[in-house]
Amino acid sequence: MSISQNLSQIQQRIQQIAHQCQRSDIRLLAVSKTKPVQAIEEAIQAGQKAFGENYVQEGVEKIHYFKENKEVEWHFIGPLQSNKTRLVAEHFDWIQTVDRLKIAERLNEQRPVGKAPLNVLIQINISDESSKSGIAPEEMLELAQQIASLPNLRLRGLMAIPKPESDPEQQKVALRKMEQLFHRLQQTFSGIDTLSMGMSDDMQSAIECGSTMVRIGTAIFGARVYGKVA
């Protein structure tokens, strides 16, 4: 099937799950890492507006390519090294993977004057995996307070990549913990509206557990091809 057909199917599935949960606030983030601009162009023509990139330089090249399209929103969703913060601060609309104060401070300092504040999600390592980035749940409020004090950043919520589980009930163990953390953050800070969790294999469980943004890549664009991107 084409990218537009894939997007249509996924949107319909999101709407079905949301209807079952009596919700209407779920956004689809198309994960476009390693995908050529032609594929993103097709997705844009099909109505998709938000795209997620994992690699800084690749993402910046795509942002430049689509710079005339002001409706497209770019999210950085990969781990970020401190020597790459300037590129994210200067070009992206969102970063979903902030997990330490040093990164937040650099993004704040490097956000260009006149540009809207950079939207920030705190990444939580909810399954306590050594291979994954993110902070421990008990560190959330302290980092949130620090980010909230930085004028060129706008704290919007949380992001997580739970440990893969095939059983929906097992998926929900970590996802429910994230939902509780999200509600706690909402009670403490204003403007908290985004809980980014859920990918192709756990999208339904994530939405049932309060996700407001699901990140889907392969189901939209097909299998990833690693190497040079057009």
Side-chain angles (χ1 to χ4, degrees), residues 27-41:
R27 297 183 66 201
L28 171 61
L29 183 70
V31 179
S32 48
K33 66 177 182 181
T34 79
K35 293 301 173 184
V37 293
Q38 291 85 355
I40 298 172
E41 186 85 65

Side-chain angles (χ1 to χ4, degrees), residues 80-106:
L80 182 60
Q81 299 170 324
S82 57
N83 65 342
K84 297 285 184 70
T85 54
R86 182 174 297 279
L87 287 171
V88 171
E90 289 179 347
H91 297 284
F92 283 83
D93 303 300
W94 288 68
I95 176 169
Q96 299 202 9
T97 51
V98 172
D99 61 0
R100 56 195 188 278
L101 177 59
K102 179 182 178 182
I103 293 293
E105 288 177 334
R106 288 177 66 89

Side-chain angles (χ1 to χ4, degrees), residues 142-209:
E142 181 181 4
L143 182 56
Q145 186 68 57
Q146 293 165 334
I147 292 170
S149 71
L150 297 172
N152 298 320
L153 305 183
R154 182 183 174 198
L155 182 62
R156 297 289 294 269
L158 303 175
M159 178 269 216
I161 308 171
K163 182 180 177 181
E165 299 282 359
S166 56
D167 176 52
E169 290 309 309
Q170 283 300 114
Q171 291 173 351
K172 290 180 183 178
V173 173
L175 295 167
R176 288 289 182 207
K177 291 178 184 176
M178 283 300 303
E179 184 179 32
Q180 292 167 5
L181 288 170
F182 182 59
H183 289 324
R184 189 176 176 194
L185 195 66
Q186 284 184 313
Q187 291 165 3
T188 312
F189 298 90
S190 62
I192 304 300
D193 59 7
T194 303
L195 178 56
S196 173
M197 62 182 190
M199 296 183 280
S200 298
D201 293 336
D202 63 351
M203 181 175 76
Q204 176 157 347
S205 296
I207 293 173
E208 290 174 356
C209 292

Side-chain angles (χ1 to χ4, degrees), residues 77 88 115:
I77 59 173
V88 171
K115 212 170 176 67

Side-chain angles (χ1 to χ4, degrees), residues 23-83:
R23 295 181 55 209
S24 60
D25 60 342
I26 298 100
R27 297 183 66 201
L28 171 61
L29 183 70
V31 179
S32 48
K33 66 177 182 181
T34 79
K35 293 301 173 184
V37 293
Q38 291 85 355
I40 298 172
E41 186 85 65
E42 186 176 341
I44 292 171
Q45 290 174 356
Q48 180 63 27
K49 296 289 192 291
F51 295 87
E53 290 288 330
N54 285 59
Y55 309 114
V56 177
Q57 193 60 51
E58 178 191 333
V60 169
E61 289 172 6
K62 291 174 180 176
I63 291 168
H64 280 309
Y65 184 88
F66 291 103
K67 64 183 178 183
E68 300 305 320
N69 191 329
K70 304 303 183 186
E71 294 186 346
V72 176
E73 185 178 273
W74 295 96
H75 295 236
F76 187 75
I77 59 173
L80 182 60
Q81 299 170 324
S82 57
N83 65 342

